[in-house]
Amino acid sequence: MAVTPIYVARPIVPKVDDFIAHLAPALETRRLANGGAISADLELRLSELFRTRYVNLMSNGTVAIEIAAKALNFRKKVITTPFTFAASVGALIWVGLDPILVDIDEEYLTICPDAVSSAIDQEVSGILGVHVYGCPCDVDALDAISKSSKIPVLYDGAHVFDATYNGRPVVGYGAATTMSFHATKQFNTGEGGAVVTSSLEVNSRVSILKNFGIESEDLISQLGINGKMSEINAAFGLANLSALFEERARRTTVSQIYRDNLSEHNRIRIVPLRPGTVGSSGYFAIRLPVESGRPLRDKVYLALRDLGIYSRKYFYPLISDIPSYTAHMSQLTFDLPNAQRAAMEVLALPLHGGISDEDALFIATSVKRAIDD
Amino acid sequence: MAVTPIYVARPIVPKVDDFIAHLAPALETRRLANGGAISADLELRLSELFRTRYVNLMSNGTVAIEIAAKALNFRKKVITTPFTFAASVGALIWVGLDPILVDIDEEYLTICPDAVSSAIDQEVSGILGVHVYGCPCDVDALDAISKSSKIPVLYDGAHVFDATYNGRPVVGYGAATTMSFHATKQFNTGEGGAVVTSSLEVNSRVSILKNFGIESEDLISQLGINGKMSEINAAFGLANLSALFEERARRTTVSQIYRDNLSEHNRIRIVPLRPGTVGSSGYFAIRLPVESGRPLRDKVYLALRDLGIYSRKYFYPLISDIPSYTAHMSQLTFDLPNAQRAAMEVLALPLHGGISDEDALFIATSVKRAIDD
């Protein structure tokens, strides 16, 4: 048994002095919210990292999706994936949109471009793709669909903070990409998120939408809400940037230990990255088969938990299996065999900078032992 | 001219050491979000202050309204006031509700109970009252309407942090009250807010709704979003509680100087507090008449601005005069004479702990000089 519990994620935290050094100007000037020098600095640093023109900080990744969808003029139907965290689809429904769920690629678990094409009708105004476990959607195929249909593609990029695809940060694809900087993500601001885009127009709309639609003191030009990040969270993020690279090195090592110890096992499939993808260190996901109707994944999950190792059935349940969500959707039947299967097979193993080589080996061994038990 | 600009609001900020002392346990345990000891502590401290059973921290005051409206099962029409900040009505529209705007009391500027009664029909499922400048709505009349109609009343309590009415914190009235802890409010967490309620059921629903509707690991029982406050903001708030009482003393003094110097002027009306109200120090609002079709308020606003004194036309524009908002509403005509008038007459003067006696006297004198000019 693990001496102390090993959780699936562990936030990076800054050195206190670093954090205070970044926050001090805001305490001095008492500018704590509604933008400011600290947010501007973090937006600049992130836009350099992402090699995109605009990073627009938000209060969290869910609000980022709500606001990005509005900024891209999504109305009525939005084609998206059922294989995602509740927030992506929930945010669409929350703002009155109607998600249409289509199946995912069997191998990479991202939204299937052919299924997207087939689902397009007159009422579809947007596509929301979700990159998963560091693996990008088939961005080239989706880009082609977007161009020919004139329907913008928004990506949920919460899983691809540091991933590149064909030499370019994954975050840069599509009309816009939303990010989550929640505590459990690779990079965090405690709570937080962003809308990333290269379009001046989209970025301007996002800025107005996240501040109640206020364009100037006497003019409220759009229906908006409060989606702003405080300077306090931005300072926390700036200080956390320093911790990022050490964290990534550790995660890479842990992933390699998992890979070395699990890839040869005949009942384990490591969820692959699309060829051309480099550098993602957000998640390590494996698939375990359903055998005689029983998900081996659930058995391993419980066995690990008994050892104090907290893995995660991620993503489970599938959005199409959540009645409180589907009740708000016009879609009545779901044809999602790949997603259904993935939801029963995938297990995300602990991956963070607090996992030692010994821990990683212990986890890998425990997974195999639980399977063979 | 003021030597340095005087803004309408100035956030309270904690001592750095205080803040870090409150935050340290979260950095140590790396529990930064999804609740935790710091949020729980702040919720307890605020519930003692508000004398209510539950304070449920939120990412901001706008999300608090969205979630409270859902927790109270608001559907279709919600009767509310046009005399409020964009966020109150905007939050309702954002989640697909249909605000019905009724007029306000001529004197206290809060929603008129008779107008509420007249607007009730089969599609009305909720009432959103907004307490303004520390003055509570006519809570007794609204409570009676709620009882007889079985329609719950939600209050936006952003303006009544420390006000009491008939010996009881204003925040405690209604089925629930939303709070904003934005930087510019009397008490702040940078960005933040809360839903305050004495109902266990409402509080439980709020807790689930602010965490994506997740009831337990495998059960998502409701459609929800992310409305959570991070532990970082909660720690900032805990440290700010210490600064609150000194701030309030200063604000009370400044208000008194305004009152002593402005109350006798024949063209100035100080917005009154409903009898029975005590202790509010959030705002100081005056009314200046529209003369020959020209708002004296605007003249004073500009004259003050030229002196480096930033007052605020608050609330202006009226919600019914914002086409980007009314476009989403079913109401086609508005009969709001009291609100229309207030929107052209009200001016909120600077009120915060950074205003000296001399500043306050200078501001009061400048207001009178601008009027008489």
Side-chain angles (χ1 to χ4, degrees), chain A residues 90-162:
Chain A
L92 298 177
I93 301 174
W94 193 260
V95 297
L97 296 165
D98 182 17
I100 304 297
L101 304 178
V102 301
D103 207 8
I104 55 175
D105 183 272
E106 202 284 329
E107 197 171 2
Y108 302 111
L109 309 183
T110 52
I111 194 164
C112 172
D114 288 345
V116 170
S117 287
S118 304
I120 290 178
D121 67 21
Q122 290 299 321
E123 290 193 323
V124 170
S125 61
I127 298 163
L128 173 64
V130 180
H131 309 304
V132 294
Y133 315 126
C135 177
C137 294
D138 187 346
V139 289
D140 298 323
L142 291 170
D143 192 40
I145 292 171
S146 177
K147 278 213 173 66
S148 68
S149 65
K150 310 262 186 277
I151 297 172
V153 180
L154 173 66
Y155 289 111
D156 179 342
H159 279 205
V160 290
F161 182 79
D162 59 355

Side-chain angles (χ1 to χ4, degrees), chain B residues 321-345:
Chain B
D321 292 330
I322 304 174
S324 57
Y325 277 54
T326 56
H328 299 275
M329 295 162 51
S330 69
Q331 191 175 10
L332 298 174
T333 57
F334 300 100
D335 181 27
L336 310 164
N338 292 339
Q340 291 284 3
R341 191 169 155 208
M344 300 311 287
E345 292 190 354

Side-chain angles (χ1 to χ4, degrees), chain A residues 10-11 30 34 60 62 66 94-95 182 191 212 217-218 220-223 226 233 301 313 324-325, chain B residues 10-11 30 34 60 62 66 93-95 182 191 212 217-218 220-222 226 233 301 313 324-325:
Chain A
R10 187 192 75 159
R30 301 202 184 210
N34 296 1
N60 60 54
T62 310
E66 295 177 32
W94 193 260
V95 297
H182 182 261
E191 283 281 2
F212 311 108
E217 193 176 347
D218 292 343
I220 299 180
S221 66
Q222 293 177 54
L223 175 72
N226 181 1
N233 298 274
Y301 167 83
K313 292 178 267 181
S324 57
Y325 278 52
Chain B
R10 188 191 74 159
R30 301 202 184 210
N34 296 0
N60 60 54
T62 310
E66 295 177 32
I93 302 173
W94 193 260
V95 297
H182 182 262
E191 284 280 1
F212 312 106
E217 193 175 345
D218 292 342
I220 300 180
S221 66
Q222 293 178 54
N226 182 1
N233 298 274
Y301 167 82
K313 292 179 267 180
S324 57
Y325 277 54

Side-chain angles (χ1 to χ4, degrees), chain B residues 189-224:
Chain B
T189 57
E191 284 280 1
V195 179
V196 179
T197 181
S198 290
S199 158
L200 171 64
E201 190 194 334
V202 171
N203 188 58
S204 301
R205 280 177 59 89
V206 167
S207 293
I208 292 170
L209 285 166
K210 79 171 181 180
N211 190 32
F212 312 106
I214 297 173
E215 190 155 332
S216 61
E217 193 175 345
D218 292 342
L219 176 64
I220 300 180
S221 66
Q222 293 178 54
L223 174 72

Side-chain angles (χ1 to χ4, degrees), chain B residues 141-326:
Chain B
L142 290 170
D143 192 42
I145 292 170
S146 179
K147 278 215 174 67
S148 67
S149 66
K150 309 263 187 278
I151 297 171
V153 180
L154 173 65
Y155 289 110
D156 179 342
H159 279 205
V160 291
F161 182 79
D162 58 355
T164 63
Y165 178 65
N166 291 339
R168 195 178 141 194
V170 177
V171 173
Y173 288 87
T177 297
T178 62
M179 299 299 290
S180 165
F181 305 141
H182 182 262
T184 55
K185 295 293 186 289
Q186 283 177 266
F187 166 76
N188 83 76
T189 57
E191 284 280 1
V195 179
V196 179
T197 181
S198 290
S199 158
L200 171 64
E201 190 194 334
V202 171
N203 188 58
S204 301
R205 280 177 59 89
V206 167
S207 293
I208 292 170
L209 285 166
K210 79 171 181 180
N211 190 32
F212 312 106
I214 297 173
E215 190 155 332
S216 61
E217 193 175 345
D218 292 342
L219 176 64
I220 300 180
S221 66
Q222 293 178 54
L223 174 72
I225 51 165
N226 182 1
K228 292 168 288 181
M229 178 184 287
S230 84
E231 292 285 272
I232 305 163
N233 298 274
F236 199 84
L238 275 174
N240 258 341
L241 283 178
S242 314
L244 203 57
F245 298 95
E246 196 179 322
E247 172 80 12
R248 177 152 55 185
R250 187 72 228 138
R251 284 168 175 244
T252 304
T253 303
V254 172
S255 295
Q256 196 53 53
I257 292 172
Y258 286 156
R259 198 170 297 278
D260 291 345
N261 284 276
L262 299 175
S263 61
E264 299 298 312
H265 196 287
N266 65 354
R267 287 153 90 195
I268 299 173
R269 224 177 357 149
I270 296 171
V271 177
L273 293 178
R274 196 177 295 281
T277 310
V278 174
S280 170
S281 61
Y283 297 87
F284 193 93
I286 60 173
R287 298 180 70 166
L288 300 163
V290 176
E291 294 170 342
S292 315
R294 304 174 77 163
L296 183 57
R297 186 268 315 267
D298 292 1
K299 183 184 167 198
V300 172
Y301 167 82
L302 291 172
L304 291 178
R305 203 177 63 179
D306 286 345
L307 294 168
I309 301 164
Y310 295 86
S311 63
R312 193 165 170 207
K313 292 179 267 180
Y314 191 56
F315 304 104
Y316 173 86
L318 208 59
I319 302 294
S320 49
D321 292 330
I322 304 174
S324 57
Y325 277 54
T326 56

Side-chain angles (χ1 to χ4, degrees), chain A residues 9-335:
Chain A
R10 187 192 75 159
I12 54 171
V13 293
K15 294 200 178 70
V16 170
D17 291 350
D18 262 14
F19 174 38
I20 292 307
H22 284 292
L23 183 60
L27 297 178
E28 180 65 29
T29 61
R30 301 202 184 210
R31 177 148 195 174
L32 302 181
N34 296 1
I38 303 175
S39 299
D41 194 8
L42 181 58
E43 287 176 345
L44 181 67
R45 294 286 302 276
L46 290 173
S47 69
E48 285 165 2
L49 210 63
F50 297 156
R51 287 185 261 150
T52 55
R53 280 176 72 189
Y54 304 107
V55 173
N56 207 320
L57 293 174
M58 311 293 293
S59 45
N60 60 54
T62 310
V63 167
I65 295 172
E66 295 177 32
I67 285 182
K70 292 285 188 186
L72 293 173
N73 285 313
F74 284 11
R75 288 150 203 270
K76 294 188 179 169
K77 293 183 185 171
V78 177
I79 300 173
T80 189
T81 169
F83 192 69
T84 184
F85 183 58
S88 341
V89 180
L92 298 177
I93 301 174
W94 193 260
V95 297
L97 296 165
D98 182 17
I100 304 297
L101 304 178
V102 301
D103 207 8
I104 55 175
D105 183 272
E106 202 284 329
E107 197 171 2
Y108 302 111
L109 309 183
T110 52
I111 194 164
C112 172
D114 288 345
V116 170
S117 287
S118 304
I120 290 178
D121 67 21
Q122 290 299 321
E123 290 193 323
V124 170
S125 61
I127 298 163
L128 173 64
V130 180
H131 309 304
V132 294
Y133 315 126
C135 177
C137 294
D138 187 346
V139 289
D140 298 323
L142 291 170
D143 192 40
I145 292 171
S146 177
K147 278 213 173 66
S148 68
S149 65
K150 310 262 186 277
I151 297 172
V153 180
L154 173 66
Y155 289 111
D156 179 342
H159 279 205
V160 290
F161 182 79
D162 59 355
T164 63
Y165 178 64
N166 291 339
R168 192 178 143 194
V170 177
V171 173
Y173 289 87
T177 297
T178 62
M179 299 299 290
S180 165
F181 305 141
H182 182 261
T184 55
K185 295 293 186 288
Q186 281 176 267
F187 166 75
N188 83 77
T189 58
E191 283 281 2
V195 178
V196 180
T197 182
S198 291
S199 158
L200 171 64
E201 192 195 332
V202 172
N203 189 59
S204 301
R205 280 176 60 88
V206 168
S207 293
I208 293 171
L209 285 166
K210 80 172 181 179
N211 190 32
F212 311 108
I214 298 173
E215 191 156 329
S216 61
E217 193 176 347
D218 292 343
L219 176 65
I220 299 180
S221 66
Q222 293 177 54
L223 175 72
I225 52 165
N226 181 1
K228 293 168 287 179
M229 178 185 285
S230 84
E231 292 286 273
I232 306 164
N233 298 274
F236 198 84
L238 276 174
N240 258 342
L241 283 178
S242 314
L244 203 57
F245 300 94
E246 195 180 322
E247 172 81 10
R248 177 152 57 183
R250 188 73 227 137
R251 284 168 175 245
T252 304
T253 304
V254 172
S255 294
Q256 197 53 53
I257 293 172
Y258 286 157
R259 199 169 295 278
D260 291 346
N261 285 276
L262 299 175
S263 60
E264 299 298 310
H265 195 286
N266 65 354
R267 287 154 90 195
I268 299 174
R269 224 178 355 150
I270 297 171
V271 176
L273 293 178
R274 196 176 296 281
T277 310
V278 174
S280 169
S281 62
Y283 297 87
F284 193 93
I286 60 174
R287 298 181 70 165
L288 300 163
V290 176
E291 294 171 341
S292 316
R294 301 175 77 163
L296 184 56
R297 186 269 314 267
D298 292 1
K299 183 184 166 195
V300 171
Y301 167 83
L302 290 172
L304 290 177
R305 202 178 65 178
D306 286 345
L307 293 167
I309 302 165
Y310 295 87
S311 63
R312 194 165 170 206
K313 292 178 267 181
Y314 190 57
F315 304 103
Y316 174 86
L318 208 59
I319 302 294
S320 49
D321 293 329
I322 304 174
S324 57
Y325 278 52
T326 56
H328 299 275
M329 295 161 52
S330 70
Q331 191 175 10
L332 297 174
T333 57
F334 301 99
D335 182 27

